[in-house]
Amino acid sequence: MPYYRVVGEVPRKRHVQFRRPDGGLYAEELMGEEGFSSDSSLLYHRHLPTAVVKAEAVTPTADARLEPNLPLSPRHFRTQELSSAGDLVAGRMLLAGNGDVRLSYATSDRPSELYRNSMGDECVYVQRGTVRFESTYGVIEAGEGDYVVIPTGTIHRWAPEGQVSVLAIEAGGHVRPPKRYLSQHGQFLEHAPYCERDLRAPAEPLVVEGEEVPVLVRTRGGLTRLVYRNHPFDVVGWDGCLYPFAFNINDFEPIVKKTHAPPPVHQTFEGPGFVVCSFCPRPLDYHPEAIPIPYNHHNVDSDEFMFYAGGDYSARKGSGIDVGSISLHPAGFTHGPQPGAVEAVIEAVGRGVTTTSEMAVMVDTFRPLDLGPGALACEDPGYAWTWAR
Ligand SMILES: [Fe+2]
């Protein structure tokens, strides 16, 4: 995270005695990245954050097998057709993944159990509904269009208010704003399409009393359920530059060129081996002879995974793609607008159309994406041939 924050009570100096009203000591915990050499926060617990009373292996409830995208094809998945069981963690249906990132979809109205992903950060995009994100750092009220970025190792849970649908991006490392948006000291620069004011983080501590509280922990070795002697939500204060935050896609400030701009102008986050881009409603490119939708392109080092979250998709007209759809355009394949889409958009501009209402979240990976059972269960098998009709 780019900037310092303090929530609740913290002592005047770090690593000094900090006492509870009853005279006992609060337990200080450092959560820090990259071997004490990057962002960190200090959290002050009522109880020892180290006190666990039980550990048990957990058999995953969801199928996590991946298979290569062979024969190589562009793909269309219709998440509208997926029905999920479980909560927003255990009920995730794996769509695609590789050694760097896993992409899943989940719909649920049930609260999840406490969960800690120790493999990497998570970036969870809320497509629909409102959900309370609770964590050791406090609460974030999240809703439609929010990306919630959760640092590695953060104990948290999701409590939906009604039915909630999410796209979960599970990274193998840290998810951050692109470096080119930041000054050398971490402030968002004026050319960045969003800034600190757009980020929402916990504003006050969340303290819950409880004993023998299970926490589902994901590691590279698998899933474990650790039972903590005391509830992990016992932090009275914390400070630092590492904490969960939300950013709403509607706060993204699209950058528009005279002729068509490539996806890096839409970049929102970066993670190891992938980027996340937000395609938002915006004015169309404004050269008098502009073709204001993408040109045919072969992004030779990337697989493009595009989740169509809302709006209207001029470039995809005739492909069957609709809100809730996902397209996967892999390296090794040239893709572009569907036949007739260029002519249609030129004609629309001639009628006075000046904006696009598309809303999409794209994850571009630098290694090929394999396909998961969630995607294969909702694939539109005819998509690959829609350019040849
Ligand atoms: Fe593309």
Side-chain angles (χ1 to χ4, degrees):
M1 267 304 298
Y3 67 107
Y4 174 81
R5 190 170 179 90
V6 57
V7 166
E9 283 186 85
V10 299
R12 165 64 189 91
K13 294 282 288 177
R14 58 187 174 180
H15 319 318
V16 298
Q17 296 172 29
F18 181 35
R19 293 194 177 274
R20 303 188 302 244
D22 68 2
L25 288 167
Y26 286 114
E28 185 182 52
E29 177 193 22
L30 178 129
M31 294 286 286
E33 295 178 346
E34 298 173 19
F36 302 91
S37 303
S38 185
D39 292 347
S40 65
S41 283
L42 288 167
L43 297 86
Y44 295 90
H45 294 265
R46 282 186 174 172
H47 306 286
L48 284 178
T50 47
V52 290
V53 297
K54 200 158 98 182
E56 56 188 20
V58 176
T59 307
T61 49
D63 185 356
R65 276 172 301 181
L66 288 165
E67 52 186 80
N69 180 4
L70 289 174
L72 179 78
S73 312
R75 309 272 182 163
H76 171 202
F77 310 116
R78 295 177 53 83
T79 64
Q80 310 90 306
E81 294 173 0
L82 287 176
S83 57
S84 64
D87 56 56
L88 295 179
V89 175
R92 289 179 186 176
M93 293 166 284
L94 183 61
L95 298 167
N98 59 25
D100 297 319
V101 65
R102 286 163 31 118
L103 305 164
S104 303
Y105 188 78
T107 296
S108 183
D109 60 0
R110 288 162 42 181
S112 72
E113 69 177 304
L114 293 186
Y115 169 57
R116 158 178 273 175
N117 185 341
S118 291
M119 291 174 60
D121 294 1
E122 292 194 359
C123 175
V124 175
Y125 179 78
V126 181
Q127 180 201 9
R128 261 195 310 264
T130 57
V131 57
R132 184 176 155 95
F133 168 86
E134 299 179 343
S135 74
T136 45
Y137 295 87
V139 171
I140 298 172
E141 302 290 350
E144 190 170 315
D146 274 333
Y147 293 99
V148 182
V149 178
I150 308 154
T152 308
T154 300
I155 297 178
H156 65 281
R157 73 175 194 128
W158 295 94
E161 291 158 18
Q163 197 78 4
V164 173
S165 300
V166 301
L167 175 72
I169 303 166
E170 299 169 5
H174 302 305
V175 175
R176 296 184 169 124
K179 279 192 195 70
R180 69 179 188 279
Y181 291 172
L182 305 175
S183 75
Q184 71 175 116
H185 302 296
Q187 184 179 6
F188 280 89
L189 295 167
E190 279 295 314
H191 73 266
Y194 63 100
C195 76
E196 288 85 349
R197 293 188 199 177
D198 300 313
L199 307 181
R200 291 148 35 225
E204 55 190 41
L206 171 66
V207 179
V208 179
E209 285 297 337
E211 292 180 354
E212 305 232 342
V213 178
V215 177
L216 186 67
V217 181
R218 178 185 295 284
T219 62
R220 286 186 201 283
L223 288 171
T224 298
R225 188 168 282 113
L226 289 179
V227 178
Y228 280 76
R229 188 185 64 191
N230 302 102
H231 203 298
F233 295 170
D234 68 342
V235 173
V236 297
W238 59 267
D239 75 334
C241 292
L242 183 68
Y243 48 86
F245 65 91
F247 168 67
N248 193 279
I249 196 167
N250 292 298
D251 286 325
F252 191 88
E253 300 158 14
I255 295 165
V256 175
K257 276 172 74 246
K258 199 167 183 176
T259 60
H260 201 68
V265 299
H266 307 292
Q267 193 182 345
T268 312
F269 301 113
E270 64 187 11
F274 70 94
V275 299
V276 178
C277 299
S278 304
F279 291 76
C280 298
R282 60 190 183 280
L284 292 171
D285 318 326
Y286 54 89
H287 186 285
E289 294 179 8
I291 297 176
I293 55 174
Y295 30 81
N296 300 307
H297 54 284
H298 190 174
N299 190 0
V300 300
D301 292 319
S302 300
D303 276 18
E304 297 182 7
F305 176 101
M306 178 87 104
F307 177 56
Y308 300 84
D312 175 55
Y313 297 96
S314 304
R316 301 264 74 90
K317 213 157 266 172
S319 67
I321 280 175
D322 202 353
V323 173
S325 289
I326 288 168
S327 62
L328 173 61
H329 295 143
F333 165 76
T334 296
H335 64 278
Q338 254 60 32
V342 169
E343 292 79 1
V345 74
I346 291 171
E347 190 266 331
V349 169
R351 281 188 284 110
V353 173
T354 57
T355 57
T356 169
S357 66
E358 69 177 12
M359 179 81 87
V361 171
M362 185 169 79
V363 182
D364 274 12
T365 64
F366 302 126
R367 288 200 278 180
L369 281 170
D370 295 329
L371 308 178
L376 295 171
C378 64
E379 184 170 15
D380 163 10
Y383 179 65
W385 328 121
T386 55
W387 288 271
R389 276 181 192 154

